Amino acid sequence: MSSRPTTPGATGEEPSENIITSALSRLSAVTSRLHGGDYPKDEDDSTDDDASNWDRMPEVKALKGSNANGSDAQKARKLGLTWTDLTIKGVGADACFNENVFSQYLPEKLKGGTDAAKAKLRTIIDNSHGCVKPGEMLLVLGRPGAGCTTLLKNLSNRRAGYAEVDGQVNYGSLTPKEAAKYRGQIIINTEEELFFPTLTVGTADNPPGFANAEESRLGSRDFLLKLLGISHTFNTKVGNEFIRGVSGGERKRVSLIEAMATRGSIYCWDNPTRGLDASTALQFTKALRDMTDIFGLSTIVTVYQAGNAIYDLFDKVLVLDVGKQIYYGPQKEARPFMEDLGFVCADGANVADFLTGVTVPTERSVRQGFEDRFPRNAEAILAAYQASSIRAQMQTEYTYPTTDEAKSNTQDFELAIRAEKHPSWLMNKLPVTLGFGKQLTAAIRRQYQILRGDMAVVVVKQGSNIIQALSAGSLFYNTSTDSTGIFLRSGSMFVAMVFNVLIAQSEVTDSFSGRPVLAKHKSFALYHPAAFCFSQIVTDIPIFIFQITTFTLPLYFMVGLTASASNYFIFWLILFSVTGCMTAVFRAAGAGFPTFDAASKVAGLIINTTFLYIGYFIPKPQMHPWFVWLYWVNPLSYAYDALLSNEFHGKVLPCVGPNLIPNGPGYGSLENQACAGIRGAPPGAASITGDQYLDALNYSHANLWRNIGILWVWWAFFVFLTVFFTSRWAESAAQSGLLLVPREKSRNTRGIPIDEESQGTEEKITGSSSSSATRVPATKEANLIRNTSVFTWRNLTYTVQTPQGPRVLLNNVHGWVKPGMLGALMGSSGAGKTTLLDVLAQRKTDGTIHGNILVDGNPLSVSFQRSAGYCEQLDVHEALATVREALEFSALLRQPRETSREDKLKYVDVIVDLLEMHDIENCLIGTPGGAGLSVEQRKRLTIGVELVAKPSILIFLDEPTSGLDGQAAFNIIRFLKKLAAAGQAILVTIHQPSAQLFSQFDTLLLLAKGGNTVYFGDIGENGDQVKEYFARYNAPCPVETNPAEHMIDVVSGHHRRDWTKVWLESPEHEEMLAELDNIVAEASSAPPKTADDGFEFAMSLWDQVKIVTQRNNVSMWRNTEYVNNKVTLHIIIGLFAGFSFWQVGNGLGDLQFRLFAVFQFLFVAPGVIAQLQPLFIQKRDIYDAREKKSKMYSWQAFVTGLIVSEFPYLMVCGVLFFLCFYYTVGFPGDTDKAGAALLLMLLYEMLYTGIGQFIAAYAPNAVAATLANPLIIITLVGFCGVLVPYSAIQEFWRYWLYYMNAFNYLLGGLMVFTTYDVQVSCKESEFSMFDPLANQTCGEYLSDYLQGMGSGTNLTNPDALTGCRVCQYKTGADYLATVNVPDYYMGWRNIGIVAIFVCSGYGLVYLLMKLRTKQSKKAE
């Protein structure tokens, strides 16, 4: 075999270990580390010296041993990887249609689409083979769509989601099944960067810190941060698309370090250099080379746009073309092999791009004389390879798993792992290495770091907790100790539980926000999922103690509950137990379902069932037998029993006021009075004991501690469920990368076979798509927009505030972009390239900008943001729109209002042609990492979305080539060159340009760390001018070296020189300033080239609203999961509440059941709101991140679109709930009453949707919104006159909050239409029975009472001399008078008032969205 490539730091000796460190350092034997001075705390990050100095790493030291003879060195952990005849099949995209709300119910025959129902299997990898021995590196090359990711996933033993996997794979001598328990040793680093965005880099790369030797772990972490040059970001948030954090390149390096730190034996890296600058990419690959050599790893890497310096570091190369393995062999023989077949690799060209381009007619060059006989396709090249000596040579390695070396290595590997593992029986069965106690400690530390990073959520949670305690305390303030206090005290305890349950509901939202990160950690075998689950519980304890204490102290004593220490602490303990138990319930619900919509639906049902069967609304003895089992399985019913027993035991409660008949002047004899409407009161008694009341509810004080114990048993059960479900989470979406076609587009879509990378049709792979993307026909070229304006910036400085003080991100940057000019903006990762583009494009909302930004010498106009195109680094799109819809949306909203709709849509066709997106134009965009477009397709779409807007001033592109292969990158730059030639001004940030790519640019702005300019000027033919500049200052570019890589290397600090100072003192700097002055003077004296129409947005507000609403309607129509869950929740809750109050009667107790049945309708809201808010916030994030900044449409149009798109579904839900609920309860069937009730229900659907949306409009994130909901909902529910009757509400609240409460009018209206005309007939047990005074009939004794206080009561035996029987009410109207709804007309009045509240609720959505929408910063 060919000799192994080395870097200056690779050790020559045979590696004896495989222990690359871990931020979770699963170190057992390493106990020492070089101290303090090893890692100087300076700001200068890694240089090449660091990369070679691996002896600094504590684990390398341990590997070699501390004795001179190395006698204490650790056991080796080498495996090697061999695979033969590996064939992988997946589901073909013909089967992948996205159903809509209507089509999901159609039988297959009616759905349309070709062979819609038949799922076709497609071969993604066809008969692959290879062997990577310990200490070897394999480079896997292929264009996007070739199957590289699929191959890596399967080689790393991640097979989920593939239909068939055939062939043999061996890890050392282990089979895939045997290797499964060593999951943490076979690592794959995927393209997605999955982190908790609020963690800092230091904590993200220190995930659960599993180390015996803490210092060793920290030393390894610091070494790796320094090695990849990001130690300066240690205290910076990682961030994501929507949270500001480190730069894209820095975030990628955090992801790489995390994988490097997991101490695997086999590593698969999927495009690890994406988003890194050329210098860092090379440095990282050198680090992989060193790790592989020192530790004896087997390393497999896919890289797009691999420079020759990177390519030369590998031992072997494997080339894939649409799943076929057309070459596998030594790296040094790959180029000669292809050249022998007749292909030509130009001097200085990237060999990797040459190897992947041989099957693409437009990319390959054929040597003279071979035109007739060169292999024209992958099959022909494969046939040539099969017949070659290289194939025969490589085949000899495939017996490696049966060799003594492999068996010995595997044995040593197993012994080393066993020695490192915790000795417990359980840990030996699991892939994790550390003892559970240490896993738990590390996971707890991580939980606190996550909390600290997201303090907004903690503050919202505890703030709303205290506000709610004070609010509830004042609502039930100082309740009396007589009969009128029974209902109020019960209500206060009900509210105390309900609030804490609704707070716990946020766990469902939380569960899904962290799931991808936990799945990644599980695949790394960092810790068992149980450690994560228990760490959450331990983290909860102090928070719950604080939360329950701050909640109970105000509430308990304001309400006036029993003033005894023992009673208070029992009350505290019960609420603590309830909160813990229900948190576990919602965590189990979150863990147990694959999607958020499904989990939120179940959470909504849990809330309804637990609240209704708590024993408060329907007492246990009166529950229907078909649902009474829910009482026994409801943790809250045990808590409610315990709370009431704790409060009422041993009390005597005299009956007073409306609960005493007769009552008033002249009725003072208790012997001739009786309690009315009090459950459990003995006949003829004028008072009731607490225990009699408890007994009537089937409660007993004797069961108090039993009930608390049962709560903890439930808690343990739900914790077990959470651990069980969490342990079964899939590592990633099974259908990752499948293209989805909306069902309504199925008839005009051709079949699209795809694989993991989902790169479109085979025609594309053979050269139609991105390769021809730049073959622009002359007619199309004529259609491209031309630009005549000059864009300049001078003395541009940008400063942000950090905890350490102001930080300058851009420092006096100058430059310009002229029409017809393609400018490159380059620099190392974190130099400020994206920041500069953001500032120039007016996209920053924080910080301070100083300097001048001018168009044609004049300040920027109001229409600048939409007149300039900006393709951001992160591709943020509406997931449920198709590619064509996204392009049309941008064109319709951003092209001038004078342009006709037809012309705008014609221009979309031009851009679809230019970017060759015909094959995917009807595919849904989808989500990154899930079903939908691939990285490369998303990038093309991002560019297309900006181009269809016809930017009239210039186009900014932030790393348009990241994640693309060499050909696709070249095509995109060549396409931009065409645009520039057509007169467009373009400024592009670019990370890893090849020499050919670099030569396409006209000018270069080169930035160094801190946003300092190092060079600005022309590049020259083949980079001659730039080369000459650096050569003049003793940094000549070697022949055959890519000038772009050389420059980045030079300015990244590897030449120990202040290049900013060199630039400022150079003649080029003086010339540049003079030229800048000249350009501005010329431009400002001439008339402006670009007419400003004076409009902030291209379209009128009405047109914006129409277009945005249409997009939201289509998105909702396709969002079947969201709509189905909303509808299902209404049907299930409607039937559930209806059958719980089945055919309610006309008795005295039934009046309250009618009220509670209607009241139960309110609790549809929490479940639906919790599902609605994340969707709103997701759309708001897309709007904030891209659409708002490009002035596509205004926030008014955004809000209107979201509100209107919900209406049809709200109407359907309201009608379905009405039909399921109204008639099962047995409410009046009269058309006027039923119709009015339906109208109120429809208004309520809009009311709570408005509430949910206005909370979401201002909330920082979905979890904070879920935590704010209970405060709003409980306040509205508490002060609406049900839990506390109008007369008992404190005066402070009664005269304003009660009347400002929409729920008051809603319930009042519903009660009027369902109860007003009911004739009350008391059941035997409901009569108040007492004897009149001697010698008086009942009628005579009660005459004064019946004309006064008791005018609404019904005496059924006026002529009796004993045993007067009084029913508390005659009609429903008498009952409604006591709840402040005395007249029938109020029902219709309330409908009008609720409609006003609906409008005001939606008004608040607009207001809060406006308050949240920040203006972009302008230069001062």
Side-chain angles (χ1 to χ4, degrees), residues 531-574:
F532 164 72
C533 297
F534 287 119
S535 73
Q536 284 188 306
I537 294 165
V538 175
T539 315
D540 286 341
I541 291 171
I543 295 171
F544 284 174
I545 289 173
F546 177 81
Q547 179 179 320
I548 302 301
T549 305
T550 53
F551 185 78
T552 53
L553 278 171
L555 179 77
Y556 192 89
F557 295 106
M558 285 174 78
V559 174
L561 301 177
T562 308
S564 122
S566 63
N567 284 63
Y568 169 73
F569 285 113
I570 290 171
F571 179 82
W572 186 95
L573 176 63
I574 295 167

Side-chain angles (χ1 to χ4, degrees), residues 1155 1158-1165 1236-1248 1251 1276-1277 1280 1282 1298-1299 1301-1314 1381 1386-1395 1397-1398:
L1155 175 63
V1158 168
F1159 187 59
Q1160 191 63 27
F1161 174 49
L1162 297 181
F1163 289 97
V1164 171
L1238 172 61
L1239 181 56
L1240 274 166
M1241 286 183 175
L1242 294 177
L1243 286 171
Y1244 178 58
E1245 292 289 332
M1246 290 185 267
L1247 180 70
Y1248 75 69
I1251 292 170
L1276 292 171
V1277 163
C1280 71
V1282 173
Y1298 173 81
Y1299 287 105
N1301 186 342
F1303 286 14
N1304 154 31
Y1305 301 99
L1306 175 77
L1307 289 172
L1310 285 169
M1311 284 303 290
V1312 164
F1313 298 122
T1314 57
V1381 190
M1386 287 187 164
W1388 292 101
R1389 180 203 70 173
N1390 288 2
I1391 288 177
I1393 294 173
V1394 172
F1397 274 108
V1398 168

Side-chain angles (χ1 to χ4, degrees), residues 1182-1257:
I1182 293 172
Y1183 174 69
D1184 281 349
R1186 186 171 61 83
E1187 294 166 343
K1188 177 183 82 178
K1189 292 175 179 174
S1190 59
K1191 297 290 181 189
M1192 201 180 263
Y1193 54 91
S1194 71
W1195 59 269
Q1196 295 103 313
F1198 168 76
V1199 174
T1200 309
L1202 275 176
I1203 288 172
V1204 173
S1205 63
E1206 289 274 2
F1207 281 166
Y1209 306 98
L1210 296 180
M1211 298 300 105
V1212 171
C1213 288
V1215 170
L1216 287 171
F1217 185 90
F1218 172 80
L1219 293 173
C1220 294
F1221 168 78
Y1222 189 85
Y1223 296 107
T1224 42
V1225 177
F1227 284 145
D1230 311 4
T1231 313
D1232 59 333
K1233 295 189 175 73
L1238 172 61
L1239 181 56
L1240 274 166
M1241 286 183 175
L1242 294 177
L1243 286 171
Y1244 178 58
E1245 292 289 332
M1246 290 185 267
L1247 180 70
Y1248 75 69
T1249 302
I1251 292 170
Q1253 288 181 332
F1254 81 62
I1255 295 171

Side-chain angles (χ1 to χ4, degrees), residues 235 261 557 601 814 819 1000 1094 1199:
N235 291 317
F557 295 106
K601 174 174 66 182
H814 315 274
Q1000 297 288 313
V1199 174

Side-chain angles (χ1 to χ4, degrees), residues 362-376:
T362 51
E363 306 296 341
R364 63 192 176 201
S365 303
V366 180
R367 203 182 331 153
Q368 210 167 351
F370 277 81
E371 290 88 347
D372 302 333
R373 52 198 173 98
F374 77 92
R376 282 167 164 69

Side-chain angles (χ1 to χ4, degrees), residues 468-483:
Q468 186 57 51
L470 293 168
S471 162
S474 62
L475 173 64
F476 296 99
Y477 185 69
N478 208 10
T479 54
S480 59
T481 52
D482 52 37
S483 64

Side-chain angles (χ1 to χ4, degrees), residues 1273-1291:
I1273 291 170
I1274 297 285
T1275 303
L1276 292 171
V1277 163
F1279 289 91
C1280 71
V1282 173
L1283 300 177
V1284 181
Y1286 173 73
S1287 56
I1289 296 176
Q1290 293 301 313
E1291 289 188 3

